[in-house]
Amino acid sequence: MNEETTTGEDPMLTNIFALVAVGLLLEAQSEGEAGMRAVASTIYNRAGGQWEKMGEVVLKKSQYECYNQGIDAAFEKYADIRDDKSIGIACRIVA
């Protein structure tokens, strides 16, 4: 079982949320909400609908291009995104 933070949030779930949201942005931001929803659907299906497995799915080798160079490289690309609308859409989809 994952340890909760002092705010009551489970850090593993927060990490999964971030991994999936960043993945949606980097894989399909240029395709808008429909593209991000399509990527989210593939992640969901590959994880068998199990939230706990979604982080593993996005990080699996050669599955999602944005993570092929590792988490740090993906999050560096994410840091360059200045499109708040797309960030909001990705977060709503993951939530």
Side-chain angles (χ1 to χ4, degrees):
M1 186 167 180
N2 295 320
E3 217 174 283
E4 289 191 4
T5 65
T6 56
T7 61
E9 296 174 349
D10 183 327
M12 180 54 105
L13 296 181
T14 301
N15 290 339
I16 293 169
F17 184 96
L19 286 170
V20 175
V22 168
L24 297 183
L25 280 168
L26 296 179
E27 289 289 322
Q29 178 186 15
S30 65
E31 298 169 30
E33 184 171 353
M36 287 190 271
R37 285 192 180 280
V39 172
S41 180
T42 66
I43 294 167
Y44 179 85
N45 289 334
R46 291 176 185 178
Q50 297 179 30
W51 175 257
E52 302 80 22
K53 292 186 177 183
M54 291 184 192
E56 295 173 32
V57 166
V58 297
L59 295 177
K60 190 172 180 182
K61 186 174 179 156
S62 301
Q63 294 300 304
Y64 296 94
E65 185 177 340
C66 66
Y67 286 114
N68 284 345
Q69 301 301 315
I71 295 172
D72 291 339
F75 275 69
E76 284 177 23
K77 290 177 190 172
Y78 166 75
D80 292 335
I81 295 175
R82 301 283 186 243
D83 183 355
D84 290 339
K85 182 178 177 184
S86 292
I87 293 169
I89 291 169
C91 289
R92 280 193 308 277
I93 291 169
V94 176

